[in-house]
Amino acid sequence: MANTSSISTAEIRVSLDESIPEDVTPEVQRRVGAVLDHLRQPVLAARVRITRHGDPAVPRPVSAQANVDVNGRLVRVQVEAETVGEALAQLEEKLRHAAERAAARWKDRTDRKPSPGPHEWRHIDEPASHPSYFPRPAEERRVLRHKAFGLAVCTVEEAAFDMDALDYDFHLFTELGSGEDSVLYRAGPTGYRLAQLTPAPEKVESGSLPLTISERPAAVLSTAAAVDRLNLSGQPFLFFRPPAGHHRGRVLYRRYDGHYGLITQAELVE
């Protein structure tokens, strides 16, 4: 059944950088609108941003990101492709799957009972299909984006729900039971793994989520040292604690263009 409370196609906000032709906007609105019209919950807002990376060496230079407010909960997806047409097709398909999964899980949480069908919240759910990282030489990598905000205080199960709905590879939050800054990510035999500043597995509130917990405390590193370690490890992100004077967790992560982004607690902005 179509959603009769959805915003209209014309209300879908589209932002294009100067390299993307304006006549792309109606096609973006048509594709995204087709997805939103089939949701059962009201869509309060939707915006799409399409950009083209200026580095000709990046193999998939077109980035398309959609952020949709479905009845007060955010669904976010992002894709990278060689052309605008490919990006729009991938965005439509990925948004459709993400919105359907999120709607099923929100209903499960409201009903307070496990889902019996294919939408059961387990590690065998369809994984996020993120693009590979551009192999930029280590000496050229820079921290290009610094995001600072107050960390959510929640259970691991709630963090996993948000991570999946927002299409993130990891989620930085303050775990409710232990009070420790923590990172949840997809790994290990259960599909979800938790790292904490100071591991306190006996206090963690994981709910029904299958979970493994790292026994190693977060490394104490400066941002420059964290960059060096991430360069050497080749991992997608690094959870760490700054040197003396700071007591909150940070995440340094790899962007698709080969550079780095940094997430910190709001009061830690330097």
Side-chain angles (χ1 to χ4, degrees):
M1 179 183 297
N3 176 14
T4 58
S5 300
S6 179
I7 62 175
S8 68
T9 298
E11 292 176 302
I12 299 171
R13 296 169 52 195
V14 180
S15 174
L16 309 173
D17 73 16
E18 59 184 13
S19 69
I20 308 296
E22 288 292 336
D23 58 8
V24 168
T25 295
E27 178 67 7
V28 175
Q29 293 174 324
R30 183 189 70 79
R31 286 181 176 272
V32 173
V35 175
L36 304 186
D37 283 345
H38 286 84
L39 298 182
R40 294 178 180 272
Q41 294 181 308
V43 177
L44 306 182
R47 70 179 188 274
V48 179
R49 184 168 183 259
I50 303 177
T51 59
R52 190 189 306 273
H53 200 282
D55 189 340
V58 175
R60 288 177 292 277
V62 179
S63 174
Q65 181 183 108
N67 292 274
V68 181
D69 184 338
V70 183
N71 201 24
R73 297 303 300 260
L74 181 65
V75 175
R76 172 191 177 274
V77 296
Q78 180 170 328
V79 300
E80 279 77 39
E82 293 185 13
T83 68
V84 173
E86 290 176 3
L88 293 184
Q90 292 176 24
L91 188 73
E92 179 182 6
E93 184 68 13
K94 196 169 185 179
L95 181 60
R96 188 183 308 278
H97 288 306
E100 290 173 353
R101 290 199 307 271
R105 287 167 184 160
W106 293 336
K107 183 177 186 302
D108 290 342
R109 289 180 63 179
T110 301
D111 293 343
R112 295 287 182 178
K113 60 184 179 181
S115 172
H119 294 294
E120 187 174 4
W121 189 7
R122 298 187 184 276
H123 68 281
I124 57 175
D125 282 346
E126 179 185 353
S129 54
H130 296 291
S132 58
Y133 304 106
F134 176 61
R136 187 176 299 281
E139 62 272 14
E140 296 180 7
R141 299 172 191 169
R142 301 289 183 270
V143 179
L144 294 187
R145 189 174 188 186
H146 186 166
K147 296 186 286 187
F149 51 86
L151 300 187
V153 179
C154 61
T155 66
V156 178
E157 190 169 24
E158 291 169 334
F161 174 81
D162 289 337
M163 182 176 72
D164 187 75
L166 296 172
D167 195 34
Y168 289 159
D169 292 318
F170 62 84
H171 188 39
L172 176 64
F173 69 107
T174 300
E175 197 279 317
L176 180 64
S178 64
E180 290 285 335
D181 285 356
S182 307
V183 166
L184 183 69
Y185 57 103
R186 296 181 177 89
T190 66
Y192 290 99
R193 187 163 177 81
L194 185 74
Q196 298 189 290
L197 285 186
T198 302
E202 72 283 356
K203 297 180 180 179
V204 170
E205 295 190 16
S206 59
S208 61
L209 185 76
L211 180 72
T212 59
I213 301 176
S214 173
E215 298 180 354
R216 294 184 177 182
V220 179
L221 301 166
S222 66
T223 299
V227 168
D228 290 340
R229 180 170 295 192
L230 199 55
N231 284 339
L232 291 173
S233 71
Q235 296 299 311
F237 70 91
L238 176 66
F239 178 48
F240 68 103
R241 182 204 302 267
H246 296 304
H247 306 285
R248 305 304 299 267
R250 296 183 173 189
V251 173
L252 182 73
Y253 64 95
R254 296 183 65 186
R255 295 158 43 102
Y256 83 96
D257 59 6
H259 289 297
Y260 292 129
L262 179 67
I263 300 176
T264 72
Q265 180 76 352
E267 66 264 26
L268 296 183
V269 179
E270 298 171 344

